[in-house]
Amino acid sequence: MVRQSTAAWKRVVEIASDAGRTLAQCRVFQRVAPDGSRLTDLADQAQMSKQSAGVLVDQLERLGYVRRVPDPTDGRARLIVIEERGRRAVEVASATLDEILSEWKAYLGTRNFALLHQILDQLREITDPYAR
């Protein structure tokens, strides 16, 4: 829903930039599951090549947002997990999103906001089927 408002989207971009992350990095980072994700899954969900996702994960790892750990279900595989710095970034982004949604709800009213939310969720099914 954040992309529906230029001002709201600008605030999210500013947070990412202030944290030293690019939008491409955010595209991968936002898809890391709470219990970790494999690189191939992140690439698929972000709709990019495994190589591109790998470069972005490398960058995020160097910045301290994620790290790679052995996958407990497959000794040959690695999981990307969110580090403490990444968890703090998620908290800031969530708080900002909550603030933006609250502003939208105040502007639109409860009924129209609920309708907007429902419509955007429906559109997400065709625009981002991997969104959580």
Side-chain angles (χ1 to χ4, degrees):
M1 254 182 8
V2 172
R3 295 180 193 179
Q4 301 306 313
S5 165
T6 304
W9 183 240
K10 182 179 179 198
R11 284 163 50 193
V12 171
V13 170
E14 286 172 357
I15 288 170
S17 297
D18 290 346
R21 291 181 291 156
T22 66
L23 290 180
Q25 290 168 342
C26 291
R27 190 168 157 194
V28 171
F29 180 76
Q30 72 180 7
R31 297 168 192 291
V32 177
D35 57 343
S37 298
R38 290 186 180 181
L39 182 62
T40 52
D41 294 333
L42 291 176
D44 186 41
Q45 292 175 23
Q47 300 176 355
M48 63 178 57
S49 71
K50 183 179 172 185
Q51 293 77 14
S52 294
V55 168
L56 295 170
V57 167
D58 289 343
Q59 294 168 357
L60 289 166
E61 192 169 26
R62 279 192 300 276
L63 291 167
Y65 290 100
V66 300
R67 70 182 161 97
R68 289 177 171 93
V69 298
D71 184 336
T73 63
D74 182 348
R76 300 167 296 158
R78 311 272 293 162
L79 290 177
I80 291 93
V81 297
I82 298 176
E83 286 283 83
E84 181 58 34
R85 184 174 188 194
R87 284 190 288 279
R88 287 193 308 267
V90 168
E91 289 172 7
V92 169
S94 292
T96 302
L97 180 59
D98 289 345
E99 182 181 302
I100 291 166
L101 295 178
S102 178
E103 291 170 10
W104 289 2
K105 188 174 183 179
Y107 178 76
L108 293 173
T110 302
R111 187 169 161 267
N112 284 341
F113 179 78
L115 183 59
L116 174 66
H117 200 276
Q118 179 186 0
I119 291 168
L120 291 174
D121 279 346
Q122 284 179 299
L123 287 172
R124 181 181 281 162
E125 293 173 13
I126 62 171
T127 60
D128 189 1
Y130 295 104
R132 293 184 254 146

